[in-house]
Amino acid sequence: MKNLFTVFAFLTLFSATSQETFGTITGMVNDASGSPLPFANVLIEGKKIGVLTNDIGLYTIPRIPYGKYRVTVSFIGYNKVTKSIEVNKNKPQLKIDFTLSENVENLDEVTVKGKTKETEIETKGFAVNAISTREAGLRSIQTNELLNTTVGVKIRQNGGLGSNVEYSLNGLSGRSVSIFIDGIPISIYGSSFSLNSIPPSMIKNIEVYKGVVPGHLSSDAVGGAINIVLHKGAKNNINASVSYGSFNTLQTNINGAYRFDESGFTIKASAFHNYSDNDYKISGRTIVDIAPNGVQTPIVARRFNDAYRSSGGMAQFGFTNVSWADQFLLGVTASDEYNEVQHGTFVTISPYKDRFLESDALLGNLTYQKRDLLVKGLDLNINGVYGKRNRIINDTVADAYTWTGNRLIGFDGEYLEYIWGSQNENGPTLAKIVRKVSSVRSGLSYTLNDNHKILLNHVYSGVDREDSDEMISLLENTFQQTSDLYKNIFSLSYELNAFEDKFKLNAFGKHYAQKVLNTQPVFNDDNTAVIDEVYQSNNDYTGYGFAASYIIIPTVTLLTSAEKAIRLPSENEVFGDAGDNLLPNLTIEPETSDNLNIGFRFGEFNVKKHGFTLATNFFARNIENRIGLPANADGLRESDEFVQYTNLENTAESKGIEAEFNYTYNNNLGFNFNITHMSLTTVNSGVETSVPNVPLSTMNAGLRYTIKDFIQSKSLISLFYNAYYTDEFAFKFAAGTNTTGEEEFLIPEQISHDFGLSYTFPKKNFVLSFDVKNIFDQSVYDNLSVQKPGRAFYLKLNYIINNL
């Protein structure tokens, strides 16, 4: 019964037929100088069909019934332009370009700008940010760096490219935050297909939901969710880029699509490759040289066993914008990763050498979308993934090293070796973890009328896991444990639009089910036979919530949302992972949280050529049964290499405020600033104290300026500046009052600066960009005591071919 809804969805997929014939119009929208106008409104009069142009002024309107129409294009500060068109069987594909002239008569008016797609998402009541990737796709920055500029978001990265990353939303991080790619949990794809490796050019936009997650994602998260929305269009184009920079960092990607007009047959493909030595300089109390007599001398060292490589891609084929499907695509996703491991969870005095991880994944995928299925207003959306992931942990070297990169010499002048025979204390290993993974997200929605909509969504995900190790005997490998984990999350949502679109409500309920099955071979009591020790649990939970918005006046919107959220334990929290030095905990239970957001959005206001918005959000979280490290764990000292997640006894409370200000001038100058200040407290040893390893105050600022016709006519040069501030925070609980030595567990106040520029050539198909990160070479930390890279330089070339 658990997949009944999904089976129904597949059956209805093939039963949909339509007799209506459609066409498509595409084109460019430019100003009088020939510069593209991003996010201009393109509307077919009388049909309520319209789109916004993309970041380079392109638009596409598919599925237009044959007939005669008037197409109107408008943009703030410019005169409207209208053209008559006819779509018929002789001309099903039309290319219509528009040139808009500046409207100088209305420059003194104060206007409210029409909503972009991102603004629509941000004004539905949820505490959400919708992030466009149009500029980031042209620069040498990662998706994670783009997220790090967002209000309330803090990326917690253990080092350089490819290192472990946690995403913090309003102070809650780790598995408290769910990550999705088009609604599919990113964990299904494995570590080799992560936000570190997906280039921004493959991404349409990023949705960041804080605390309250809408039902259509069917997420089990108490902190929020990040949904990566990949480009779905079938524009005939190719986008390729290559970036090279400091620490021998090379990043390349290519993506493209081609659609045959008559049949609708579509081919889409994308691929990426990333590599970095990650040999940047680090320092600190554990970065020392150790003499043969044991004397430790602090040094500035280069990381020497931290190289990272990842490659991957996705290929899909099928049909788009045909009578029986808006999208029907079958495809495959493949990825491969190599990651050297420099140290354990913390930066230790004795670094690792020749310890590394290898991962790969091969998964098939299915996408099906259909609007107005069988009847008008009934929409179906299915995304499915099934395949296999492998991970190998290689740790067979017993040599001891220092941070100089040289082997450690003992009192007798001989090289030292670890008596346990490996880099970490668990002994030598060639462990292999094989996972069969699957996930299906199904969504069925019905729009009753302009005011009422019902949505039913279901997410299923499963992992069948087997562990083995070539360093142990054949008999031991024969009797290796198996570990299975299955999740089903159902949600039912109701959307209300009332009072002439001033009031919007989304109310939802969620049902969670998780099954854990672990089979561990053990000897019987008299050691005469091997028997299976079975642990099994099958639990159900219920959550609910709402999001509402009310337009008080056209420029002021009130937003509020609340949810009783459930967070189910992840596979690694339950079964552990030797590659990440995680120990298993089969009995770990879900955590719950009561989440509340109340906020306002002001604008967007436009005065002459000035535009600005201001948004604020007050948030509160009350987390019970929190999953984390024990408060008294010695693992918060540099000598420990392993961690185990458990349910903490004491409730944690998070309260805070975030605010964001955006300013633009004449569409070529932009400034943004955001600030988050919060408290996250719990009880430790009978004393209320801040939860460790969580920055409580952060600020980000960004400045962008674009110059038209720079050197060449119709060219563009864009300058970028970003600053990031993080207040001081501790990465362990304080031992009490009036204690000494606690300062060694403090991450100091930090601020870093980035600068970038990009030059777009006149034909808009070639972009050259240059970025400098951490300009002043500051010591920067995100997580625990792991230092991030210092000053770095990157050069990127981006080439686009449109209208193949």
Side-chain angles (χ1 to χ4, degrees):
M1 295 297 291
K2 65 183 180 183
N3 292 320
L4 180 61
F5 172 70
T6 303
V7 172
F8 168 75
F10 274 106
L11 291 176
T12 55
L13 183 157
F14 297 103
S15 64
T17 59
S18 174
Q19 301 300 319
E20 197 166 17
T21 311
F22 301 94
T24 300
I25 64 170
T26 62
M28 285 282 298
V29 178
N30 298 311
D31 62 14
S33 68
S35 298
L37 293 177
F39 310 113
N41 289 291
V42 184
L43 177 68
I44 298 180
E45 295 182 1
K47 293 293 292 183
K48 292 186 177 180
I49 300 175
V51 297
L52 297 174
T53 58
N54 66 9
D55 54 301
I56 56 173
L58 282 170
Y59 74 92
T60 299
I61 305 180
R63 295 182 56 78
I64 304 172
Y66 286 172
K68 296 181 179 180
Y69 303 100
R70 287 169 56 84
V71 181
T72 298
V73 177
S74 60
F75 191 75
I76 192 71
Y78 290 79
N79 294 307
K80 289 183 180 180
V81 174
T82 299
K83 292 184 179 183
S84 298
I85 66 167
E86 182 177 358
V87 182
N88 54 47
K89 63 180 181 180
N90 296 321
K91 295 181 179 179
Q93 309 291 326
L94 297 179
K95 186 176 187 297
I96 310 295
D97 295 331
F98 292 84
T99 300
L100 275 59
S101 60
E102 196 169 8
N103 185 351
V104 296
E105 296 179 358
N106 296 326
L107 292 182
D108 292 328
E109 296 180 0
V110 178
T111 60
V112 181
K113 192 174 181 179
K115 292 182 179 179
T116 65
K117 184 66 175 178
E118 288 79 15
T119 303
E120 284 187 21
I121 295 173
E122 294 177 346
T123 54
K124 287 187 176 181
F126 294 94
V128 57
N129 289 92
I131 307 167
S132 172
T133 61
R134 58 186 180 273
E135 291 176 349
L138 304 177
R139 298 177 58 199
S140 298
I141 64 175
Q142 296 175 279
T143 304
N144 281 335
E145 295 174 274
L146 182 62
L147 281 167
N148 209 30
T149 64
T150 305
V151 61
V153 180
K154 182 67 177 174
I155 305 300
R156 318 294 306 285
Q157 185 161 340
N158 281 15
L161 182 68
S163 60
N164 183 56
V165 177
E166 289 190 354
Y167 301 86
S168 175
L169 302 182
N170 297 147
L172 302 183
S173 59
R175 268 289 292 119
S176 295
V177 177
S178 292
I179 314 294
F180 295 92
I181 299 178
D182 284 334
I184 295 292
I186 197 171
S187 58
I188 292 294
Y189 295 92
S191 59
S192 51
F193 202 84
S194 66
L195 298 194
N196 260 340
S197 56
I198 302 175
S201 61
M202 290 174 57
I203 300 172
K204 180 181 178 182
N205 64 279
I206 306 172
E207 301 167 353
V208 181
Y209 293 92
K210 302 164 195 173
V212 181
V213 182
H216 75 266
L217 286 179
S218 300
S219 170
D220 64 318
V222 297
I226 299 172
N227 186 34
I228 306 298
V229 182
L230 301 181
H231 285 293
K232 296 181 176 62
K235 293 181 294 184
N236 297 343
N237 67 355
I238 295 177
N239 186 326
S241 70
V242 58
S243 170
Y244 183 78
S246 299
F247 322 120
N248 194 26
T249 300
L250 174 68
Q251 296 178 276
T252 63
N253 73 84
I254 183 170
N255 57 81
Y258 191 85
R259 181 180 185 272
F260 294 86
D261 292 337
E262 292 185 4
S263 64
F265 185 75
T266 302
I267 302 172
K268 300 174 67 175
S270 59
F272 64 84
H273 175 77
N274 303 306
Y275 177 82
S276 179
D277 288 336
N278 282 325
D279 56 345
Y280 57 90
K281 293 181 180 180
I282 59 173
S283 60
R285 61 187 181 85
T286 61
I287 310 302
V288 297
D289 184 20
I290 304 176
N293 62 3
V295 174
Q296 299 179 2
T297 304
I299 61 172
V300 175
R302 281 194 178 273
R303 297 174 74 95
F304 54 85
N305 186 57
D306 203 26
Y308 173 78
R309 183 196 70 240
S310 67
S311 303
M314 179 184 295
Q316 293 180 304
F317 67 92
F319 295 87
T320 59
N321 297 325
V322 292
S323 59
W324 52 274
D326 299 325
Q327 285 197 81
F328 176 70
L329 298 171
L330 296 172
V332 62
T333 300
S335 58
D336 178 81
E337 180 185 55
Y338 170 81
N339 197 352
E340 294 178 347
V341 182
Q342 182 76 92
H343 49 72
T345 307
F346 297 81
V347 180
T348 52
I349 289 177
S350 300
Y352 295 160
K353 180 68 166 67
D354 295 324
R355 186 174 197 243
F356 63 89
L357 310 175
E358 292 180 297
S359 303
D360 64 81
L362 182 63
L363 306 107
N365 59 74
L366 164 71
T367 299
Y368 179 78
Q369 295 179 357
K370 180 67 177 76
R371 291 171 294 179
D372 299 331
L373 174 70
L374 300 178
V375 296
K376 184 175 178 59
L378 183 64
D379 299 341
L380 176 64
N381 189 327
I382 297 173
N383 286 279
V385 173
Y386 177 80
K388 187 177 181 180
R389 299 200 329 255
N390 302 306
R391 192 178 204 199
I392 295 175
I393 302 100
N394 189 312
D395 191 352
T396 59
V397 177
D399 302 337
Y401 285 81
T402 73
W403 276 104
T404 63
N406 300 315
R407 293 186 62 180
L408 179 62
I409 300 175
F411 288 98
D412 56 2
E414 299 294 328
Y415 290 127
L416 291 180
E417 295 186 356
Y418 297 118
I419 58 174
W420 46 82
S422 63
Q423 295 288 301
N424 73 51
E425 298 178 8
N426 211 30
T429 182
L430 280 173
K432 184 175 184 179
I433 302 174
V434 178
R435 298 174 172 95
K436 294 179 181 178
V437 297
S438 57
S439 181
V440 179
R441 181 175 68 90
S442 307
L444 192 65
S445 65
Y446 182 60
T447 303
L448 284 74
N449 51 44
D450 292 340
N451 303 104
H452 305 279
K453 186 176 183 179
I454 299 174
L455 305 93
L456 177 63
N457 293 274
H458 169 232
V459 170
Y460 163 81
S461 59
V463 177
D464 297 338
R465 169 174 158 175
E466 294 184 0
D467 297 57
S468 60
D469 194 332
E470 293 185 22
M471 297 300 292
I472 62 178
S473 68
L474 176 61
L475 178 63
E476 290 175 295
N477 272 318
T478 302
F479 294 101
Q480 282 294 300
Q481 67 174 337
T482 61
S483 307
D484 304 330
L485 186 145
Y486 309 100
K487 295 180 182 179
N488 281 281
I489 306 173
F490 296 86
S491 71
L492 179 63
S493 306
Y494 166 70
E495 292 184 2
L496 171 67
N497 216 344
F499 307 117
E500 298 180 342
D501 290 339
K502 288 185 177 181
F503 177 72
K504 295 180 181 179
L505 171 69
N506 184 313
F508 56 86
K510 299 179 183 179
H511 180 74
Y512 309 82
Q514 183 175 49
K515 180 180 179 180
V516 175
L517 177 62
N518 179 256
T519 302
Q520 175 71 57
V522 297
F523 284 104
N524 59 7
D525 292 339
D526 56 4
N527 293 327
T528 59
V530 175
I531 61 173
D532 284 338
E533 185 176 79
V534 179
Y535 173 84
Q536 181 173 345
S537 66
N538 199 342
N539 297 311
D540 297 83
Y541 310 90
T542 301
Y544 46 85
F546 77 92
S549 66
Y550 185 75
I551 300 175
I552 302 173
I553 58 176
T555 53
V556 179
T557 304
L558 169 66
L559 307 149
T560 182
S561 58
E563 181 180 7
K564 177 187 178 183
I566 310 292
R567 203 273 271 189
L568 303 173
S570 69
E571 174 215 338
N572 284 352
E573 290 168 341
V574 176
F575 302 129
D577 190 320
D580 292 328
N581 289 20
L582 293 178
L583 301 175
N585 185 351
L586 296 178
T587 60
I588 194 168
E589 296 180 354
E591 64 182 25
T592 63
S593 180
D594 296 324
N595 299 336
L596 175 66
N597 299 292
I598 300 176
F600 291 89
R601 181 184 176 92
F602 303 90
E604 181 173 1
F605 299 98
N606 286 273
V607 182
K608 296 185 178 181
K609 296 183 180 181
H610 304 269
F612 54 92
T613 61
L614 175 65
T616 63
N617 180 49
F618 302 87
F619 59 88
R621 316 279 187 259
N622 186 32
I623 311 113
E624 296 183 349
N625 221 24
R626 187 167 60 93
I627 297 175
L629 300 176
N632 59 351
D634 290 334
L636 293 174
R637 298 193 178 275
E638 73 278 2
S639 60
D640 195 82
E641 298 181 58
F642 297 91
V643 292
Q644 180 189 48
Y645 287 98
T646 186
N647 294 110
L648 306 181
E649 295 181 1
N650 297 311
T651 297
E653 293 185 355
S654 172
K655 299 176 182 178
I657 182 174
E658 59 184 25
E660 182 175 27
F661 174 76
N662 290 282
Y663 168 78
T664 60
Y665 175 76
N666 198 29
N667 293 315
N668 65 344
L669 173 66
F671 171 76
N672 64 79
F673 174 80
N674 64 66
I675 182 172
T676 302
H677 181 72
M678 56 172 288
S679 65
L680 180 59
T681 60
T682 188
V683 176
N684 179 45
S685 302
V687 178
E688 185 177 76
T689 183
S690 294
V691 173
N693 199 35
V694 177
L696 300 179
S697 294
T698 60
M699 288 185 288
N700 301 310
L703 188 64
R704 172 186 59 83
Y705 186 69
T706 301
I707 304 173
K708 298 179 181 179
D709 302 319
F710 185 82
I711 300 179
Q712 304 177 84
S713 176
K714 297 185 179 181
S715 67
L716 294 171
I717 186 170
S718 298
L719 307 177
F720 306 91
Y721 166 78
N722 293 96
Y724 311 90
Y725 170 83
T726 304
D727 199 7
E728 177 184 84
F729 65 98
F731 65 86
K732 73 173 290 290
F733 279 112
T737 57
N738 299 320
T739 58
T740 59
E742 296 292 343
E743 63 276 2
E744 71 180 42
F745 297 105
L746 289 177
I747 301 297
E749 179 183 71
Q750 51 192 313
I751 183 170
S752 64
H753 308 261
D754 295 348
F755 170 79
L757 65 85
S758 66
Y759 183 78
T760 304
F761 286 78
K763 292 184 179 180
K764 307 295 186 292
N765 59 351
F766 186 68
V767 181
L768 175 66
S769 67
F770 175 72
D771 283 88
V772 186
K773 300 177 184 178
N774 198 353
I775 300 172
F776 301 107
D777 202 23
Q778 299 294 302
S779 296
V780 181
Y781 305 83
D782 272 342
N783 200 23
L784 300 174
S785 57
V786 184
Q787 188 173 343
K788 295 179 62 180
R791 184 188 299 116
F793 303 88
Y794 299 92
L795 183 68
K796 182 176 182 178
L797 306 176
N798 196 92
Y799 188 71
I800 304 169
I801 302 176
N802 288 306
N803 300 317
L804 292 174

